[in-house]
Amino acid sequence: MLILRLLLSLLAGASATAALAPFNIVWLAPVAPLLFYLILSTAPQRNSWLLGWSFGLGFFGAGVSWVFVSIYEHSATPLPLAVALTALFVSALALLFMLQGGCWKRWFSGRWGALSFIGIWVLGEWLRSWLLTGFPWLYLGYATLDTPLASWAPVGGVWLNSLIVAGSGILLFEILREKSWRPRAGYLLLLIAPWALQPFVNTTWTTASGTPLNVTLIQADIDQEDKWDPQQRESILARYEALSLPRSGDDLIIWPETAIPTFFSRAAEQLTPMLEQFDADNTTLISGLPTSSRDPDSQRRLYHNSIAVLSNGSGVYHKERLVPFGEYIPMEHYLRGALEFFNLPMSSFSLPLSDKQSLLNVQGHLMSAAICYEIAYPELVRESSQQAAFILTVSNDTWFGHSIAPDQHMQIARMRALESQRWIIRSTNNGISGLIDPYGNVTQQAPRYTQAILTGSVQPRQGLTPFQQFGSWPVVAFSFLLCIVGLGRQKLSFNDSARSLRPNLRH
């Protein structure tokens, strides 16, 4: 029986991936937490921790399988070792669901355990946004983007949408299972509330500010193996110049993450004539590039993954959420050099010296920035975009090949646009580059895995959504309240309830 439960738990976890991009089988989004709830509810306490871990293995094993591509294809790591490292990563992430499942079964599966399960699910997603720098990926709320429930995102962010999704399947089940009319009525009220109130939140929270800006995204499609080769530097910059110069006169030209594969001082001689042309034509060029600074305390030279305004504007942004092993090496003294995987190019980046960075000044407007993985952090983007007219995110998804990661990444960016009701400009090396309107719709998109020039317009916005004003705390507080409601062990599991009826049926 335990083996069957473990297998079902594994499959239930994996099913959540199908609800998200690129598959978008939306009805599976509430099914995954419902199956997890049913499996735990019918299992003994001693098995709940292992069942939670099994669910996590399926959840992350299917959802972030693209990690294998980064390890195997771009670091010369042998296949068996790449499989082992991916399995280790997934197994470590699965511990969060082990904690989630075990704690719920042990302390929160009381009379109202269904409500506490919903609360713990949302708290688990929230925990993943900051614990050990965070891994804010695979939130159920992303599945609501193209549904009427999307209008809740500007109110409470992706976590409110996750709460609605996780709750819908479980509440429907409890309505069908419950015998007493009072609990059934309560569950029914909670189930229909998001739909009944949806017309009242389906509104525009921000307004247009100024005139639209013409934007050009340069998708150069540089091979990852060539990107950091010093012998390829001149030809890479020449490609960007050739693609960009014909667009001089546009308001904005965007190059993606680390498009300039060296410090600006080493590329200045080659780029200066182009930048002078852009200044003369009032064209703002923004590019990703590495930068350096000196720590005033230790006098140590620090290197940053940055975005800089190079013409007709001002501002530099340094990435604040670095990817472990990709941009920095934890315990570097021990791991650097042990495997080729720990020697990836540009894996020695540092955090900015200041927690407060200025916004980019672009065509008379302020622009907030998020580099690659940072767009997945709801609170980080919320805080940085409050005074911004629009949002820029640049990435180099070449690391993930033809996996599902670029589709997931684009879906995440769409949710950030909806939460803030601001345009998002997404520039990448080989896709998915696109322009996203304040309602999460992709208005322009470049073809993937090819060289492309994407042009369009974005409208600066002003004003704040409720989520930008209050953040995640209302949803987190409500989730804690749901947990408290379910405090206490269940006296009878579903199986126990069935067994208790058998003696009565004999009389």
Side-chain angles (χ1 to χ4, degrees):
M1 181 61 74
L2 175 58
I3 294 177
L4 178 59
R5 283 196 176 106
L6 289 172
L7 178 60
L8 290 175
S9 188
L10 186 77
L11 294 175
S15 70
T17 297
L20 305 174
F23 311 105
N24 297 312
I25 307 175
V26 178
W27 62 268
L28 283 174
V31 169
L34 171 61
L35 291 176
F36 190 29
Y37 170 67
L38 295 177
I39 291 168
L40 287 177
S41 297
T42 58
Q45 164 63 38
R46 64 181 181 276
N47 295 336
S48 59
W49 304 92
L50 188 57
L51 289 170
W53 188 66
S54 179
F55 182 89
L57 286 179
F59 187 88
F60 291 111
V64 297
S65 55
W66 41 263
V67 170
F68 170 80
V69 178
S70 305
I71 298 173
Y72 179 60
E73 294 187 4
H74 299 295
S75 68
T77 302
L79 177 61
L81 185 56
V83 171
L85 289 172
T86 304
L88 180 63
F89 177 70
V90 169
S91 298
L93 288 174
L95 294 175
L96 295 172
F97 276 106
M98 182 180 76
L99 180 68
Q100 187 173 320
C103 288
W104 177 79
K105 185 69 174 183
R106 178 65 180 85
W107 291 292
F108 297 96
S109 55
R111 175 66 178 87
W112 304 102
L115 299 180
S116 66
F117 187 90
I118 299 166
I120 287 178
W121 181 281
V122 177
L123 292 177
E125 288 193 349
W126 173 71
L127 182 68
R128 282 195 275 125
S129 74
W130 57 266
L131 181 67
L132 299 177
T133 74
F135 187 71
W137 215 265
L138 303 177
Y139 292 162
L140 288 183
Y142 292 124
T144 65
L145 265 171
D146 297 310
T147 74
L149 292 173
S151 57
W152 285 101
V155 178
V158 66
W159 290 306
L160 176 57
N161 291 47
S162 289
L163 189 149
I164 295 170
V165 170
S168 59
I170 294 171
L171 290 173
L172 180 60
F173 172 81
E174 289 296 329
I175 290 169
L176 297 175
R177 188 183 72 92
E178 185 61 58
K179 304 302 181 185
S180 175
W181 70 269
R182 287 182 178 177
R184 181 180 289 180
Y187 289 136
L188 181 61
L189 182 63
L190 290 173
L191 180 64
I192 66 174
W195 298 94
L197 297 174
Q198 186 268 338
F200 299 99
V201 299
N202 187 19
T203 186
T204 300
W205 303 96
T206 62
T207 58
S209 174
T211 59
L213 304 179
N214 297 321
V215 180
T216 294
L217 307 183
I218 304 299
Q219 184 174 290
D221 193 31
I222 306 296
D223 289 338
Q224 192 62 32
E225 287 69 23
D226 296 336
K227 186 176 183 66
W228 299 108
D229 184 351
Q231 296 181 351
Q232 300 291 330
R233 182 186 305 157
E234 186 175 339
S235 64
I236 289 172
L237 295 178
R239 182 185 300 187
Y240 276 106
E241 286 184 283
L243 294 170
S244 303
L245 274 170
R247 302 303 307 180
S248 186
D250 289 352
D251 294 316
L252 290 175
I253 296 178
I254 310 295
W255 293 0
E257 180 184 14
T258 56
I260 300 175
T262 186
F263 300 115
F264 182 76
S265 59
R266 298 176 184 173
E269 183 177 357
Q270 183 174 351
L271 296 179
T272 294
M274 180 190 67
L275 296 179
E276 290 176 347
Q277 178 70 46
F278 287 166
D279 280 328
D281 292 339
N282 294 318
T283 294
T284 301
L285 173 65
I286 302 176
S287 177
L289 76 170
T291 61
S292 67
S293 64
R294 188 175 296 278
D295 188 332
D297 297 326
S298 66
Q299 295 301 308
R300 185 169 65 94
R301 177 65 66 179
L302 302 178
Y303 302 99
H304 309 286
N305 187 354
S306 307
I307 296 173
V309 179
L310 301 179
S311 69
N312 194 40
S314 62
V316 178
Y317 170 79
H318 305 308
K319 191 174 184 183
E320 298 181 14
R321 297 291 190 277
L322 301 179
V323 179
F325 303 106
E327 293 175 310
Y328 78 98
I329 305 298
M331 300 181 293
E332 183 174 10
H333 178 74
Y334 301 100
L335 296 179
R336 178 74 71 180
L339 296 172
E340 190 63 30
F341 174 60
F342 299 138
N343 299 319
L344 290 172
M346 304 311 293
S347 58
S348 296
F349 283 130
S350 299
L351 295 173
L353 293 173
S354 173
D355 293 335
K356 297 293 183 181
Q357 299 193 69
S358 299
L359 300 181
L360 306 180
N361 192 335
V362 175
Q363 297 288 338
H365 298 280
L366 296 179
M367 170 190 281
S368 65
I371 299 178
C372 191
Y373 179 61
E374 289 185 315
I375 199 68
Y377 288 83
E379 284 287 351
L380 179 68
V381 176
R382 177 189 75 84
E383 293 175 1
S384 67
S385 65
Q386 289 175 338
Q387 304 303 318
F390 37 80
I391 301 168
L392 169 66
T393 179
V394 298
S395 186
N396 179 25
D397 287 353
T398 313
W399 286 106
F400 309 123
H402 290 245
S403 69
I404 62 177
D407 295 277
Q408 293 176 342
H409 213 173
M410 184 57 148
Q411 186 178 55
I412 289 169
R414 290 179 60 199
M415 180 59 76
R416 298 293 89 81
L418 182 58
E419 289 171 342
S420 62
Q421 285 200 348
R422 279 163 170 74
W423 282 84
I424 285 187
I425 303 168
R426 185 169 195 265
S427 175
T428 72
N429 175 49
N430 71 339
I432 305 171
S433 299
L435 302 178
I436 309 170
D437 73 13
Y439 307 101
N441 303 308
V442 179
T443 63
Q444 301 283 338
Q445 181 173 308
R448 282 188 271 185
Y449 315 120
T450 186
Q451 184 176 290
I453 300 174
L454 178 67
T455 61
S457 64
V458 299
Q459 172 66 63
R461 309 283 292 187
Q462 64 182 3
L464 297 175
T465 65
F467 177 66
Q468 283 185 303
Q469 294 182 66
F470 304 110
S472 60
W473 292 111
V475 176
V476 170
F478 183 70
S479 298
F480 269 113
L481 179 62
L482 291 178
C483 292
I484 293 172
V485 168
L487 272 174
R489 292 285 305 281
Q490 280 184 329
K491 293 182 173 61
L492 295 174
S493 70
F494 295 155
N495 287 343
D496 294 333
S497 298
R499 284 194 295 269
S500 68
L501 293 175
R502 291 171 191 164
N504 296 328
L505 294 175
R506 295 186 187 132
H507 297 287

